[in-house]
Amino acid sequence: MEIKFSPGLHTLACACLFGLIVLCVGWELWWAPLRAGGTLMALKAVPLLFAVSGVLRRRIYTLQWVSMLSLLYLMEGVVRAWSDVSPVSAALAGLEAILALGLYLGAILYVRPAKRAARHG
């Protein structure tokens, strides 16, 4: 049985992963850092960097764990969008939530056919 993967879902996962990395670094260093001049919060992008190679190579295991990791970024984005007093920071948090949700859905739905095939065969 041949497993059919969706290239569109892989593209979504890749785009959201790279967008999330750029957003995390830019947000905490230049656009709306917690303190003037940037903060070490930019290091929150580091775990995402470990996923880049595996996601680009369409590795099922990497796509599975990065989908779970993205939920942490989704959580942070929702909390900060709701609670940050700075409108710029709140908007960036909303974008983080959207990108994290896109990464989650793209990754988890991309691996779905492989998981079904493993279960049935």
Side-chain angles (χ1 to χ4, degrees):
M1 176 166 90
E2 183 180 335
I3 301 172
K4 295 191 182 202
F5 294 101
S6 169
L9 290 172
H10 180 254
T11 302
L12 174 65
C14 288
C16 289
L17 175 63
F18 287 115
L20 206 49
I21 291 168
V22 170
L23 176 69
C24 288
V25 173
W27 179 6
E28 301 300 346
L29 291 182
W30 303 292
W31 303 325
L34 291 173
R35 287 186 213 109
T39 66
L40 289 177
M41 283 287 291
L43 293 175
K44 68 183 178 186
V46 171
L48 296 169
L49 294 173
F50 290 112
V52 169
S53 177
V55 170
L56 289 175
R57 291 187 175 126
R58 302 170 191 251
R59 294 203 170 131
I60 300 300
Y61 181 74
T62 305
L63 284 155
Q64 286 176 311
W65 69 255
V66 82
S67 70
M68 296 299 111
L69 178 65
S70 70
L71 295 175
L72 295 173
Y73 295 87
L74 175 62
M75 214 171 25
E76 182 202 24
V78 169
V79 168
R80 288 186 70 181
W82 187 265
S83 64
D84 273 5
V85 281
S86 163
V88 174
S89 187
L92 292 171
L95 181 58
E96 179 184 34
I98 291 167
L99 288 172
L101 183 61
L103 174 57
Y104 176 78
L105 292 173
I108 207 75
L109 293 175
Y110 180 80
V111 302
R112 192 176 192 192
K115 299 305 283 181
R116 280 189 179 158
R119 201 174 325 129
H120 296 300

